[in-house]
Amino acid sequence: RIGTGSLRRQAQLLHHRDDLQMHDIRGNVETRLRKLDEGDYDAIILAEAGLSRLGFDDRISLRLEPPLMLPAVGQAAIGIECRADDKDAIDLLQQITDPIARAETTAERACLAQLRAGCHAPVGVWARIETNQLLINAVVLSPNGQTAVRSHTSGPLKDAKQLGRDLAGSLLDQGADALIRT
């Protein structure tokens, strides 16, 4: 009995282990941990960043990392908006913008947009930089995890948006649209 509030995580786990019993879990982190401790679940899936931020690092027993579990689009990225006519704010934000994180997030968001999938769709996308190239892996699954389509691509950071779109095109060519709409 595995508790998770994420269809993306549920589908990816079921793809690898169809014998798992997936159950929805809601509430804040403390509530979810209490439900685990009370025996409502054998395990629960939570974001490592949230657990660490709240001082619950000692509760982490296993990290589900790529390629087993691809993250949600923009996972751990922080976005800040300001008015388009506020030059001072724009100048300030340019000073703290991380070009690598921006390229990674741009590619991931372009993939999701091209797929026309929402943030609750069973879609995982993971962009990262290796040897000065942007590498992107993606998976789209059926909600029950039985069917999955995967693709990957790579290229220069400056092409992040197009790489994300191209990756989505590859997934759509494999039938991702039908999985997203189920």
Side-chain angles (χ1 to χ4, degrees):
R1 296 170 301 143
I2 310 295
T4 178
S6 165
L7 180 59
R8 174 187 54 81
R9 290 178 179 141
Q10 177 179 315
Q12 288 184 85
L13 285 175
L14 286 171
H15 185 70
H16 293 284
R17 292 271 314 266
D18 64 359
D19 62 317
L20 297 174
Q21 297 174 25
M22 305 303 296
H23 298 277
D24 194 40
I25 188 170
R26 296 284 173 221
N28 62 32
V29 171
E30 289 87 353
T31 298
R32 293 178 189 209
L33 289 171
R34 180 181 46 76
K35 289 177 180 182
L36 174 66
D37 293 340
E38 291 173 352
D40 293 355
Y41 304 94
D42 297 310
I44 59 174
I45 312 297
L46 299 169
E48 179 181 2
L51 289 170
S52 295
R53 187 173 47 249
L54 295 171
F56 291 119
D57 295 89
D58 61 323
R59 298 297 303 260
I60 300 170
S61 59
L62 177 67
R63 287 174 174 79
L64 302 174
E65 300 174 335
L68 172 69
M69 181 75 62
L70 294 186
V73 167
Q75 188 81 40
I78 297 173
I80 303 172
E81 290 188 48
C82 70
R83 291 186 324 274
D85 64 351
D86 190 337
K87 184 182 175 344
D88 291 338
I90 292 169
D91 290 344
L92 179 63
L93 293 173
Q94 288 296 333
Q95 294 175 38
I96 62 170
T97 296
D98 179 340
I100 292 174
R102 185 179 186 109
E104 292 167 345
T105 304
T106 296
E108 291 176 2
R109 292 183 68 196
C111 180
L112 190 67
Q114 191 74 21
L115 289 171
R116 294 188 175 157
C119 60
H120 297 293
V123 175
V125 185
W126 180 42
R128 71 250 178 238
I129 304 300
E130 290 183 16
T131 60
N132 296 318
Q133 290 284 301
L134 182 62
L135 305 178
I136 318 166
N137 292 73
V139 63
V140 178
L141 302 104
S142 59
N144 64 9
Q146 290 183 354
T147 306
V149 294
R150 297 179 181 279
S151 192
H152 66 277
T153 191
S154 63
L157 269 67
K158 67 179 181 61
D159 297 337
K161 193 172 204 173
Q162 190 59 50
L163 289 168
R165 288 177 179 157
D166 293 347
L167 182 62
S170 173
L171 293 165
L172 290 168
D173 289 347
Q174 297 177 61
D177 191 51
L179 299 176
I180 292 167
R181 307 294 168 237
T182 58

